[in-house]
Amino acid sequence: MTAYSVLAVTPTDDSWIPGYIEPVGKIIAKHGGKYIARTTSHEQVEGEDQPAALRVILEWPDAQAARDFVNDPDYAPYLEARHKGSTSVHFIIDGKDELA
């Protein structure tokens, strides 16, 4: 079942970003993922304010592929750099409608 990663990222030190984008894109592709959105153009229309500079949505073949990406040893130094240089949250969401 298709799954999605949804991230909210606010850089606190953007020095990690140039060295992150290309290699992480290759690691994402290795796990069958693809970017749906990487944008600073987003608007919160409901709920308590949860600001973020950047919103990212990735599509995966399934949730395991997303977890495999997050746990890939090749990704570890990039994940560490993102954690050190930003505040961010990452959700993995199954692509299903449980209320239908």
Side-chain angles (χ1 to χ4, degrees):
M1 163 187 328
T2 301
Y4 300 90
S5 284
V6 177
L7 295 92
V9 180
T10 300
T12 54
D13 169 9
D14 61 3
S15 63
W16 59 275
I17 296 171
Y20 181 96
I21 295 171
E22 184 180 346
V24 170
K26 290 177 182 176
I27 299 167
I28 289 167
K30 177 173 90 172
H31 292 283
K34 66 178 182 177
Y35 285 105
I36 301 298
R38 288 183 286 184
T39 184
T40 59
S41 299
H42 50 85
E43 176 184 4
Q44 182 173 337
V45 296
E46 288 187 44
E48 189 175 325
D49 189 31
Q50 296 185 6
L54 178 68
R55 303 288 176 163
V56 179
I57 302 172
L58 294 143
E59 182 179 84
W60 303 99
D62 52 42
Q64 187 59 52
R67 287 190 290 276
D68 290 346
F69 160 72
V70 170
N71 294 311
D72 187 320
D74 292 337
Y75 180 54
Y78 301 104
L79 178 61
E80 180 180 355
R82 180 168 59 82
H83 283 170
K84 286 182 179 179
S86 73
T87 56
S88 58
V89 295
H90 180 175
F91 295 91
I92 298 172
I93 302 168
D94 284 333
K96 63 181 176 180
D97 183 352
E98 294 178 346
L99 302 179

